[in-house]
Amino acid sequence: REGDVLIHDEPGRCGGIDSHCHHFRIVQARHDGLALLVRHGGGDECIRLGSVSLLGPVLASLDSTARYWLLQRLYHVQYAAARNAADARDSFWRKAAAEKRIKTRKMPARGTIKIWVEPEAAAGVRHTSTESEESMA
C-alpha cells in the first residue's frame, strides 16, 4: 500500500505443515503502526498490530522461520476471534428476531432509522435496550 514501509517479508513454506499458500508481510503503516499483510488463495487481508516500539523488537529478534510461524499463528488467532465474534453477533440477532424483540422507528427529520433490540424478559425486570441508527439511504 502506498506510504507503507516493508519491514519483514515472509513467503509461504513447509515446516511439518504445508503453508505455501500464505505470504506474510510486516509493514510500518504510514499512520497506524505495524500491520500484518496476508496474501492467500482467498485474497489479501490487513491486520493492524499496533505500536512499532512494542512488537518491532520482538519480530526483529526472531529468525525468518520462527517469525513466519509466529505470524501464521497471529493470523489464525485473529481469524478465529473474528469468526467467533461474528457468530455471537449473528446468534444474538437471530434469537432476537425469533423472539420478535427487534424494533424499528423511522426518523425522517434525521434521515435515519432507529433500530434496537428489546431486552429479554427476566422475572419482570426490564433492562435498557441495545440501540443503533442506520441511514435511510
Side-chain angles (χ1 to χ4, degrees):
R1 299 174 333 196
E2 190 173 326
D4 290 351
V5 176
L6 181 63
I7 307 290
H8 300 287
D9 187 14
E10 302 295 345
R13 58 195 71 188
C14 284
I17 300 172
D18 185 5
S19 188
H20 285 99
C21 60
H22 287 81
H23 188 139
F24 300 112
R25 291 182 179 95
I26 296 291
V27 297
Q28 166 70 55
R30 192 163 35 169
H31 301 293
D32 297 334
L34 292 178
L36 172 60
L37 304 181
V38 183
R39 175 165 284 170
H40 52 74
D44 295 332
E45 297 182 55
C46 176
I47 301 165
R48 304 276 179 230
L49 296 177
S51 171
V52 175
S53 62
L54 294 175
L55 193 54
V58 172
L59 292 172
S61 71
L62 300 172
D63 66 31
S64 180
T65 299
R67 186 169 36 249
Y68 178 85
W69 293 112
L70 176 64
L71 296 175
Q72 192 232 35
R73 180 57 23 214
L74 285 174
Y75 169 72
H76 286 288
V77 165
Q78 183 278 335
Y79 179 84
R83 168 87 107 192
N84 290 340
D87 288 349
R89 179 198 61 225
D90 293 348
S91 177
F92 171 82
W93 283 98
R94 274 193 304 275
K95 183 177 179 186
E99 295 172 353
K100 308 229 185 293
R101 293 184 293 118
I102 299 173
K103 306 297 178 188
T104 62
R105 189 173 94 190
K106 289 184 181 179
M107 304 177 79
R110 296 166 82 184
T112 64
I113 299 172
K114 184 175 182 178
I115 302 169
W116 70 96
V117 175
E118 289 291 328
E120 295 181 56
V125 176
R126 185 165 175 86
H127 302 279
T128 59
S129 59
T130 303
E131 297 184 12
S132 68
E133 286 189 15
E134 291 186 9
S135 173
M136 291 189 341

